[in-house]
Amino acid sequence: QQPVQSPQAVILREGEDAVINCSSSKALYSVHWYRQKHGEAPVFLMILLKGGEQKGHDKISASFNEKKQQSSLYLTASQLSYSGTYFCGTEIGGGADGLTFGKGTHLIIQP
Amino acid sequence: DAGVIQSPRHEVTEMGQEVTLRCKPISGHDYLFWYRQTMMRGLELLIYFNNNVPIDDSGMPEDRFSAKMPNASFSTLKIQPSEPRDSAVYFCASSQPRTGETQYFGPGTRLLVL
């Protein structure tokens, strides 16, 4: 089952914050977040394992709510370089399974 | 360390022709994944290997698609015969054999079937 991402698209001014959500109808083992720029490969941002952990990386952080099977990606004080499409990839099993990706959230940062 | 390497980066072919895409995973990564990305269907898992053995090929769309991994440093995805609806970007990704490790994507092969 494909995870559901919301919103589908976001337009922000530089310096504003954004939240991208990823929900699954199945119990998840892990959630992987990627950013993809046009014409390029997805680039790994962070991974969250079940257990409700929260991670941070510079001004980008994420959380995983195991009860709700939902992960959220937080972008704080957005920069122009944050523009792109954000994907969550979900994993159900505990091993290195293939990821099931959401349809993506398009993020546009304007100066 | 070099990342995942894919070739060719671009491929234009005519319907009915055979297409072979190649991938070299990151050294030491025991898992290799093939994904396809289209506007309509997004990123889809086609097949993945563990220690050169295919584990799950349920995402392979048709018998026209086949994938092999003859050794730890090389994999191919073959389409024979190709059709226009196969036009997409094909990504190869690899990961280490540990729980909680993410997958690192190659640059992709842009395939256009005329």
Side-chain angles (χ1 to χ4, degrees):
Chain A
Q1 293 283 38
Q2 187 177 39
V4 177
Q5 285 188 237
S6 63
Q8 289 185 325
V10 184
I11 301 176
L12 297 175
R13 293 280 182 196
E14 201 173 2
E16 292 182 336
D17 302 339
V19 180
I20 300 171
N21 298 307
C22 174
S23 298
S24 174
S25 59
K26 292 193 173 184
L28 300 175
Y29 179 80
S30 65
V31 180
H32 305 229
W33 285 98
Y34 291 81
R35 176 172 59 212
Q36 185 179 32
K37 294 186 181 286
H38 183 69
E40 299 180 7
V43 173
F44 169 70
L45 294 176
M46 62 188 72
I47 179 175
L48 299 106
L49 304 179
K50 70 175 184 180
E53 65 175 22
Q54 185 160 356
K55 280 193 171 182
H57 176 68
D58 195 9
K59 293 178 181 175
I60 300 176
S61 61
S63 64
F64 180 22
N65 185 320
E66 197 176 340
K67 280 188 177 180
K68 293 184 178 180
Q69 298 303 321
Q70 177 176 314
S71 179
S72 296
L73 185 71
Y74 308 93
L75 299 103
T76 306
S78 57
Q79 306 167 14
L80 293 176
S81 61
Y82 287 2
S83 292
T85 302
Y86 290 77
F87 292 96
C88 67
T90 57
E91 186 180 20
I92 296 174
D97 295 329
L99 298 177
T100 302
F101 285 93
K103 289 188 180 294
T105 295
H106 302 283
L107 178 63
I108 298 173
I109 309 296
Q110 297 177 334
Chain B
D1 188 16
V4 176
I5 299 172
Q6 290 186 246
S7 65
R9 295 292 305 277
H10 302 271
E11 178 80 31
V12 180
T13 190
E14 292 188 342
M15 184 173 63
Q17 296 298 305
E18 178 179 296
V19 175
T20 300
L21 311 180
R22 297 173 178 80
C23 174
K24 176 179 169 57
I26 295 171
S27 177
H29 283 194
D30 286 359
Y31 285 84
L32 184 140
F33 307 83
W34 282 100
Y35 291 90
R36 177 173 68 176
Q37 187 175 35
T38 62
M39 288 293 292
M40 291 296 294
R41 301 174 68 91
L43 263 168
E44 303 174 277
L45 175 68
L46 298 178
I47 184 172
Y48 76 94
F49 296 83
N50 178 20
N51 288 320
N52 314 334
V53 176
I55 302 301
D56 183 357
D57 66 353
S58 59
M60 295 286 263
E62 300 171 33
D63 291 344
R64 298 184 296 106
F65 286 70
S66 63
K68 293 182 180 180
M69 193 165 185
N71 57 62
S73 59
F74 182 66
S75 177
T76 60
L77 178 67
K78 187 175 293 187
I79 308 173
Q80 166 64 15
S82 59
E83 296 183 2
R85 58 190 166 131
D86 301 331
S87 297
V89 181
Y90 291 82
F91 289 105
C92 174
S94 69
S95 72
Q96 290 182 321
R98 287 195 297 273
T99 299
E101 290 292 334
T102 194
Q103 299 172 20
Y104 294 91
F105 281 72
T109 295
R110 292 185 172 274
L111 173 65
L112 177 61
V113 183
L114 302 174

